[in-house]
């Protein structure tokens, strides 16, 4: 499975990338929203793991733009936001 990991936290991103690679997944790890958008447009991913609080462009904006462009890749949101309104 080819996965786009979008996470700006180095410790978390490294741990996730290594863990996914150990399970035979191909992982492209990027750390900001602008780079994430470019990778997502240029590469066919099976899954996107997307942080919301990103430098350059917010993860929610990256997701909305991708959907508007017709990208239907499944997305799992990674976030430290804990308010109910932000999680739903």
């Amino acid at each position: 499975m080819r996965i786009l990991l979008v996470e700006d936290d180095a410790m978390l991103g490294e741990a996730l990338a290594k863990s996914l690679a150990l399970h035979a997944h191909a992982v492209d790890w990027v750390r900001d929203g602008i780079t994430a958008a470019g990778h997502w447009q240029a590469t066919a991913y099976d899954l996107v793991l997307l942080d919301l609080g990103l430098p350059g462009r917010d993860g929610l904006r990256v997701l909305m733009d991708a959907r508007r462009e017709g990208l239907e890749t499944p997305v799992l949101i990674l976030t430290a936001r804990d308010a109910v309104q932000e999680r739903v």
Side-chain angles (χ1 to χ4, degrees):
M1 179 179 281
R2 184 155 189 147
I3 299 172
L4 176 60
L5 171 60
V6 187
E7 174 57 61
D8 63 323
D9 181 275
M11 188 181 305
L12 182 56
E14 185 174 342
L16 283 167
K18 283 183 179 180
S19 180
L20 290 165
L22 284 173
H23 289 88
H25 299 293
V27 179
D28 293 335
W29 173 28
V30 298
R31 299 177 183 206
D32 67 83
I34 294 169
T35 304
H39 274 69
W40 199 349
Q41 291 170 348
T43 306
Y45 289 101
D46 299 302
L47 177 68
V48 175
L49 297 175
L50 181 64
D51 185 16
L52 294 182
L54 297 168
R57 185 179 299 164
D58 183 74
L60 192 55
R61 171 60 49 199
V62 172
L63 177 57
M64 290 185 333
D65 291 347
R67 293 299 189 235
R68 188 176 8 250
E69 293 168 11
L71 298 171
E72 297 180 351
T73 311
V75 176
L76 290 176
I77 301 292
L78 306 175
T79 185
R81 298 177 184 175
D82 61 355
V84 172
Q85 293 240 34
E86 293 172 330
R87 289 184 283 142
V88 174

